[in-house]
Each structure stands twice: as structure tokens, then as C-alpha cells.
Amino acid sequence: MKKLSIMLFAFAVSFATFAQKDELKATEKALKKTDYPTAKVSIDNAEALIAGADDKTKAKFYYLKGETYAGLAKTEPTIENFEIASSSFNALMEIEKGMGSSKYSDLANPTLQILISDLRTKGAESYQSKAYAEAKNELYLAYSLNENDTLLLEYAANASYLAKDLDESLNYFIQLKDMRYTGITSIYSVRNIESGERENVSTESQMTLMVKSKAYDEPKTEVTESKLPKIIKNIASIYNEKGENEKAIEAFREAREVAPNDVALI
């Protein structure tokens, strides 16, 4: 009886493995044709079979799932499609990091960069149209895929506050504070000799080239102030709105330490 149970278990595992491979192959085939709805059916079927798979198979699954939902987001730019694509790629990178591999992460990178760009654009458009509830999700998703772009987290925090989601906004501002985010940037500009007006440029190297062209002069670099005091001030204000006065007072004290000459804080 015990041998029979082992055989049945082995058969079930073998059947699940074959089924996984069939669904993943079907997904790949559909993706090659950019037939994302068909790919979605196959990858969703594979998900029910993936729990017991090895990491290599899971990495391939999450790569294909991310590609599928990123493709769907092109024609159906819903937050759900963006979220599933983002979480799939994040899961892929986490698995391959543990494996010491980057096979599928490298393959996913071109799609990932487009996804980040699309989310950033969509988030900015939502923010400008005052659709803050949508903007906060889109901007944070873009940040979750590229955590080096901390400006996205700042915008997500502001959008969350404007959407009246105080808890989410507080969470994002605290993340910014804990990483000692300053948001300091350099602004480059030159004077157009013909018009006499100053023009901003993107980079220092571009500024140098424009001056060398002899059509511009007076290169200037300005450094913006740190946003950290304002971020801590926002944390204090949110605690105050939530009625958590002790935490608000402590946050204001922390802001004073960072910006002792801020008259508003005093």
C-alpha cells in the first residue's frame, strides 16, 4: 500500500511537471506572435502548477508572466495589468538573485525599461490631471521596479497625500526620511548670446558643448536645497492630521535638528 502511494505521488508530480512545460511552451509560442490574450490563458493555467517547481522553472514562469502582462498593458493599460507585470518581474529578479543567475532577468530588461517608462509617463499624466488615486499607484509601481529613482517615491508620497491616503503617504515619506533622501539636483544653464536669455540644459557636458559652439556663454550651475527638512515636516503634519500628537511633536523636533534655521518650524 505504501509503495502504491509513493508511485501515485510520483505519477502526480510527473504529470504536473509535463503540464507545466506544456503551458510554458504555449505561452512562449503566443508571445512570439504577440498574442497576449492567448499567452494570458496559458500562463494563468501554469500558475496553478508552479508551486512545487524548482527555482529555474519558477524564474522562467515569472519571466513569461511579466512579458505577458506587460504586453497586455500596451493595449489595456489598467493598473491591474501593470501591477501583475511589475510583481512578476520583481519575483523573477528575487529568485534569480538567490540562484546567482541573471538569465531571464537580462531577457526581461528591455521590457522592464519600457514598463518603467510607461508607468512614469502614466503617473505624471494622472498627477497633472489631478487623478491622484491613480497617480500614487502608478508612480510607486515605477519606483518598485527601479528603486534608484527615488524621485518617483517622492512623487508617490505627494500623490498619496493629495488622494487623502494618509497612511500610505506617511509610509512613503518615512521611507524617504530613513534613506536620508535630499532630492538635491544640479541645474545647468547658459546664456544665448543672440537673444540674451538664459536657457536650461540637461547635463554639464551639454552645457560645455554649447559654450564651445560660441553661440552661448556664461555657463552656470545651481544646486537645489535639500528636501529632507520638508519631508520630515510632512511626516509631522500627517501625524498631526491623524491626531497622533506625540509623534507629530517628535517629528517636528527631528525636523528642527535637520533645519535649525527654518522659521516655520520655530
Side-chain angles (χ1 to χ4, degrees):
M1 186 70 179
K2 185 177 180 181
K3 287 183 179 180
L4 179 61
S5 297
I6 293 172
M7 287 177 64
L8 288 171
F9 176 74
F11 175 77
V13 170
S14 178
F15 176 80
T17 301
F18 282 121
Q20 284 170 10
K21 290 180 178 178
D22 285 344
E23 295 294 356
L24 294 180
K25 284 180 182 178
T27 304
E28 286 181 296
K29 187 176 179 180
L31 286 173
K32 285 178 181 178
K33 298 178 180 178
T34 63
D35 183 357
Y36 299 113
T38 299
K40 178 183 182 299
V41 173
S42 297
I43 203 66
D44 287 351
N45 288 338
E47 185 147 25
L49 307 165
I50 209 71
D54 57 53
D55 284 346
K56 186 177 178 181
T57 303
K58 285 181 179 178
K60 183 175 183 179
F61 164 78
Y62 283 115
Y63 162 66
L64 293 174
K65 186 174 182 180
E67 291 285 336
T68 297
Y69 278 89
L72 287 169
K74 293 175 185 175
T75 54
E76 300 175 49
T78 63
I79 193 63
E80 182 181 10
N81 284 336
F82 279 117
E83 283 177 342
I84 295 174
S86 301
S87 62
S88 298
F89 284 134
N90 280 328
L92 162 62
M93 290 183 284
E94 189 66 28
I95 289 169
E96 288 206 319
K97 183 179 179 182
M99 294 169 59
S101 171
S102 63
K103 176 182 176 180
Y104 291 108
S105 297
D106 289 344
L107 289 173
N109 190 56
T111 302
L112 190 60
Q113 296 309 312
I114 293 171
L115 188 65
I116 293 169
S117 178
D118 287 348
L119 279 167
R120 186 190 289 113
T121 301
K122 201 170 185 331
E125 289 173 350
S126 296
Y127 196 102
Q128 289 171 0
S129 63
K130 298 184 179 181
Y132 301 120
E134 289 79 11
K136 69 185 180 70
N137 293 328
E138 292 154 356
L139 292 166
Y140 190 77
L141 273 178
Y143 168 70
S144 74
L145 292 170
N146 182 19
E147 293 187 352
N148 291 323
D149 193 348
T150 44
L151 184 62
L152 289 169
L153 181 58
E154 181 192 348
Y155 287 150
N158 290 328
S160 297
Y161 180 79
L162 293 168
K164 308 300 182 185
D165 191 337
L166 297 184
D167 290 334
E168 190 168 77
S169 180
L170 180 62
N171 176 28
Y172 296 162
F173 278 126
I174 288 174
Q175 287 183 51
L176 289 164
K177 184 201 76 168
D178 289 346
M179 66 176 70
R180 309 310 285 178
Y181 170 77
T182 62
I184 293 174
T185 58
S186 295
I187 300 173
Y188 305 104
S189 66
V190 289
R191 186 181 73 95
N192 185 312
I193 294 173
E194 184 179 349
S195 68
E197 296 181 358
R198 296 202 67 80
E199 298 177 12
N200 288 340
V201 296
S202 302
T203 63
E204 185 176 9
S205 58
Q206 184 183 0
M207 178 176 69
T208 302
L209 287 171
M210 291 176 76
V211 171
K212 285 182 178 179
S213 73
K214 305 299 184 182
Y216 298 86
D217 62 5
E218 298 182 10
K220 185 178 181 182
T221 302
E222 298 175 274
V223 179
T224 61
E225 293 183 359
S226 172
K227 295 179 181 179
L228 184 57
K230 183 180 178 181
I231 286 165
I232 301 175
K233 204 187 304 184
N234 289 342
I235 291 171
S237 296
I238 292 172
Y239 275 133
N240 188 48
E241 286 188 55
K242 285 165 60 68
E244 299 180 37
N245 297 329
E246 290 301 319
K247 290 182 179 179
I249 291 169
E250 185 58 36
F252 274 121
R253 285 175 180 156
E254 188 175 355
R256 282 289 306 278
E257 290 175 8
V258 176
N261 298 321
D262 189 319
V263 176
L265 288 171
I266 295 171

